[in-house]
Amino acid sequence: MIWRKPREAGGTANASLSSARRDALVVCVLVAAVCLLIWNGTSFFQEVSIVDRDLGAGIQVASTALILNVALILFGWRRYIDIRHEAEKRLESEQRAALTASTDALTGLFNRKGFADRMELLCAKASGAGERIVFTSLQINRLKAVSDRHGYEVGDQLRRSIADAIVGCCTDETVVARLSGDEFAIAFALPMEQLIDAERASEDILHAVTRPFEIEGKMLQVGAFVGLAHCDAANVRVPDLLRRADIAADHATSGRVGRPIWFDDAMERALLVHTEIEQGIRYGLEQQQFVPFFEPQVELATGRIIGFEVLARWKHPLSGIIGPNVFIPIAEEIGAIGRLSEQVIRAALQEARDWDPTIKISVNISPSQLTDGWLAERIVRILTETGFPAERLIVEITETSLFADIDLARSIAASLKNQGIRLALDDFGTGFSSLTYLRKLPFSRIKIDQSFIRDMLVQPDCAAIVKSVISLARDLRIGVVAEGVETADQLEFLRQFGCDEAQGYLISRPVSADGVLALLNTKKLRATYAA
């Protein structure tokens, strides 16, 4: 039998045998007591007969004594039966409570406590055989979405079906548990040379739980990610091994890896770094450590700096300036990207407020911010608080961020445009519906993604895309900006085909506010990049 539920405490057969023996002993004692009372009653009768010489009186006294003693015995027996019944009910309740405490009510699998208790037995057995314990952490994806869409009853039925599918892939000595709403754990013992079988078994489980399930006439399907960890059974610590399997499963989830992943120490080190960055972001937001850097945008016809793109940097007190690739993904993951973005935008607009009034400031909006129906109001409030003119602000929206809700994006864009704020379509060409977005949203400029600029001199298809985008922008009467320009040849190519503006390391790396003032005061850029 697969170890899915705790077994009854105490052993039913042994308990029944002991109870039968105890009952037989009590009956024997009671019979002996009755016999003794009859004997005493007879003796009493004889004594009364000798003294009183009245046989009738003796019989009456003896009978009364006998009846009273039998009644007392029957009362005692009844009381014994009641006490025994109460003890049996108490034992039943204790066993039921132990079962409930160790079992997941929905699926019938072990819960976290039951899993830990059963693991002690598995480890003891495997240790004697010199085997290794393998933990599999199975994390189900999109279970909540099923419950939200079809109802919690359907979601619960799907969870039970998934549990049955897991058990169907397991062997006799496997321990299976449901640790939380969407997390299952599977543990078994294997010799070291058979660890490859653990990976194969996990792949079977992965395939079983991700196949379509028919629930109430609906075909439902979920995703899943699997992490594996193993340890010598003699040295295993269940919480540590389970944590390692969870880390491996998280690694598979974050990387969208659709196969079992074995834990290694590098994953744990990465998790520690991730945790430190997460804590640092929260602290840094409180301490205003996230600051704007500015990347200049040059007008190719004149070589004049006409604007700056605002980029976030982390001014860490110990590590110095940290680039966005380190903290932006984690800030998005923990839901802090909106606050971080607003903090950087506010600081940038405060710095740029007193610059040349012809200088435009471009700020990036993350995909998660674009799902906020109050985004336009938040940006307008920042403009009001900083005193920055709305007509000098350009909000850049990435093409891929428009996939989620184009209608909400259109509403936000309309609100921004009504305030005099201009819009730019960032990373143009990396999505799938660019022309649709240009038609539906009031963009004033297109930014060609740097991947096309980087390869346009060596790959004809990239060059063709760049030429087409520039031509399209001219026909739509909107500006076009080339990102990631790093060589003079790239710049010359863009100028020849009529690109309006460019930015990139060839022109200048992102600089602090103090560096902006130095760039604005130099004539070098105008002389170098003018047509």
Side-chain angles (χ1 to χ4, degrees):
M1 171 183 269
I2 294 174
W3 289 351
R4 292 192 297 167
K5 297 183 180 179
R7 293 171 182 166
E8 298 295 335
T12 305
N14 292 335
S16 299
L17 184 58
S18 299
S19 177
R21 290 174 176 172
R22 184 171 61 250
D23 292 347
L25 179 61
V26 171
V27 170
C28 292
V29 171
L30 291 175
V31 170
V34 171
C35 293
L36 181 61
L37 287 172
I38 294 174
W39 172 262
N40 289 337
T42 304
S43 299
F44 180 73
F45 163 73
Q46 291 174 350
E47 292 175 2
V48 172
S49 298
I50 293 172
V51 175
D52 296 337
R53 304 297 183 180
D54 187 347
L55 181 60
I59 293 174
Q60 183 177 3
V61 172
S63 299
T64 300
L66 180 60
I67 290 171
L68 290 174
N69 282 278
V70 169
L72 182 61
I73 290 171
L74 292 176
F75 175 78
W77 172 257
R78 177 63 182 174
R79 181 58 183 157
Y80 164 74
I81 292 298
D82 290 343
I83 292 174
R84 182 169 177 268
H85 181 64
E86 290 176 5
E88 289 175 348
K89 288 181 65 177
R90 186 179 299 110
L91 179 60
E92 243 179 73
S93 299
E94 291 173 354
Q95 291 175 343
R96 193 180 304 112
L99 187 65
T100 302
S102 301
T103 307
D104 175 54
L106 179 63
T107 62
L109 302 177
F110 285 114
N111 59 16
R112 191 174 294 274
K113 179 182 181 302
F115 183 74
D117 293 341
R118 186 60 67 181
M119 284 306 304
E120 293 181 4
L121 300 177
L122 179 64
C123 291
K125 181 177 179 181
S127 178
E131 294 179 322
R132 300 186 73 81
I133 298 295
V134 178
F135 271 18
T136 301
S137 175
L138 176 66
Q139 297 182 2
I140 308 298
N141 192 26
R142 298 196 300 274
L143 266 177
K144 185 178 183 302
V146 171
S147 297
D148 291 344
R149 181 175 180 181
H150 301 288
Y152 290 104
E153 291 184 1
V154 172
D156 288 345
Q157 290 185 48
L158 180 58
R159 287 176 174 86
R160 285 191 287 268
S161 297
I162 290 172
D164 292 340
I166 295 171
V167 171
C169 296
C170 296
T171 55
D172 289 347
E173 296 302 312
T174 304
V175 183
V176 185
R178 178 175 176 241
L179 303 183
S180 65
D182 57 0
E183 182 181 1
F184 295 81
I186 304 101
F188 46 90
L190 281 177
M192 182 66 179
E193 61 273 12
Q194 295 181 15
L195 283 179
I196 187 64
D197 293 339
E199 189 169 337
R200 291 171 182 156
S202 298
E203 288 178 349
D204 292 341
I205 292 173
L206 188 60
H207 293 153
V209 301
T210 55
R211 65 175 176 81
F213 292 92
E214 184 175 358
I215 308 292
E216 294 187 358
K218 306 177 183 69
M219 297 303 293
L220 304 176
Q221 193 168 11
V222 297
F225 299 95
V226 175
L228 294 168
H230 66 91
C231 181
D232 181 57
N235 302 315
V236 68
R237 291 189 71 254
V238 173
D240 288 346
L241 194 56
L242 184 56
R243 179 178 58 83
R244 292 172 184 173
D246 284 343
I247 290 173
D250 290 340
H251 186 80
T253 301
S254 61
R256 319 307 291 178
V257 180
R259 58 179 175 80
I261 296 293
W262 284 100
F263 169 83
D264 63 52
D265 293 336
M267 294 179 186
E268 191 163 20
R269 291 193 295 271
L271 179 62
L272 292 175
V273 172
H274 184 286
T275 302
E276 290 179 0
I277 294 174
E278 178 182 337
Q279 294 173 348
I281 289 172
R282 298 186 189 279
Y283 180 78
L285 286 171
E286 297 296 332
Q287 300 299 315
Q288 304 288 316
Q289 293 178 357
F290 294 95
V291 298
F293 268 50
F294 301 86
E295 184 173 2
Q297 298 168 330
V298 173
E299 185 179 48
L300 294 184
T302 64
R304 182 173 62 91
I305 295 177
I306 61 171
F308 290 90
E309 179 180 354
V310 176
L311 303 172
R313 295 292 186 268
W314 185 359
K315 195 174 182 180
H316 196 278
L318 299 178
S319 303
I321 301 299
I322 299 175
N325 59 310
V326 173
F327 61 87
I328 290 294
I330 298 177
E332 290 178 340
E333 180 183 329
I334 65 176
I337 188 63
R339 184 181 173 191
L340 190 155
S341 177
E342 290 179 18
Q343 187 175 109
V344 172
I345 291 173
R346 180 178 284 104
L349 298 187
Q350 287 174 342
E351 292 284 354
R353 178 182 54 202
D354 299 326
W355 294 351
D356 185 332
T358 63
I359 296 295
K360 305 295 188 293
I361 298 298
S362 299
V363 297
N364 295 283
I365 297 300
S366 72
S368 60
Q369 286 179 279
L370 205 59
T371 63
D372 180 7
W374 293 93
L375 175 62
E377 286 77 4
R378 295 179 189 278
I379 294 176
V380 171
R381 185 174 67 247
I382 293 174
L383 288 173
T384 302
E385 292 172 354
T386 59
F388 191 85
E391 60 273 13
R392 290 178 56 195
L393 180 63
I394 300 173
V395 172
E396 297 186 0
I397 300 173
T398 59
E399 186 178 349
T400 53
S401 69
L402 299 172
F403 292 162
D405 193 335
I406 184 63
D407 292 329
L408 178 58
R410 183 189 299 177
S411 174
I412 293 172
S415 298
L416 293 173
K417 184 180 180 182
N418 290 339
Q419 297 297 325
I421 300 170
R422 288 183 285 180
L423 297 178
L425 182 58
D426 197 10
D427 298 338
F428 186 83
T430 59
F432 303 99
S433 305
S434 305
L435 297 180
T436 299
Y437 298 143
L438 287 175
R439 181 174 59 86
K440 290 186 176 182
L441 296 172
F443 291 110
S444 62
R445 55 166 51 180
I446 298 172
K447 300 191 73 174
I448 306 176
D449 186 68
Q450 61 182 338
S451 61
F452 298 111
I453 303 300
R454 181 180 60 246
D455 297 332
M456 66 183 180
L457 298 182
V458 294
Q459 294 185 11
D461 55 344
C462 288
I465 291 173
V466 172
K467 293 177 186 178
S468 299
V469 171
I470 294 173
S471 176
L472 175 66
R474 186 184 299 111
D475 292 340
L476 294 175
R477 297 181 181 179
I478 58 179
V480 59
V481 183
E483 296 183 292
V485 178
E486 297 183 353
T487 69
D489 290 339
Q490 292 172 347
L491 189 70
E492 183 60 29
F493 180 94
L494 294 168
R495 182 184 291 116
Q496 288 179 1
F497 285 95
C499 183
D500 298 312
E501 303 168 25
Q503 65 184 80
Y505 286 178
L506 175 67
I507 298 166
S508 173
R509 290 178 177 270
V511 296
S512 66
D514 293 338
V516 168
L517 297 178
L519 284 175
L520 291 176
N521 291 330
T522 183
K523 303 297 183 182
K524 180 180 178 181
L525 288 177
R526 181 188 296 266
T528 304
Y529 304 115

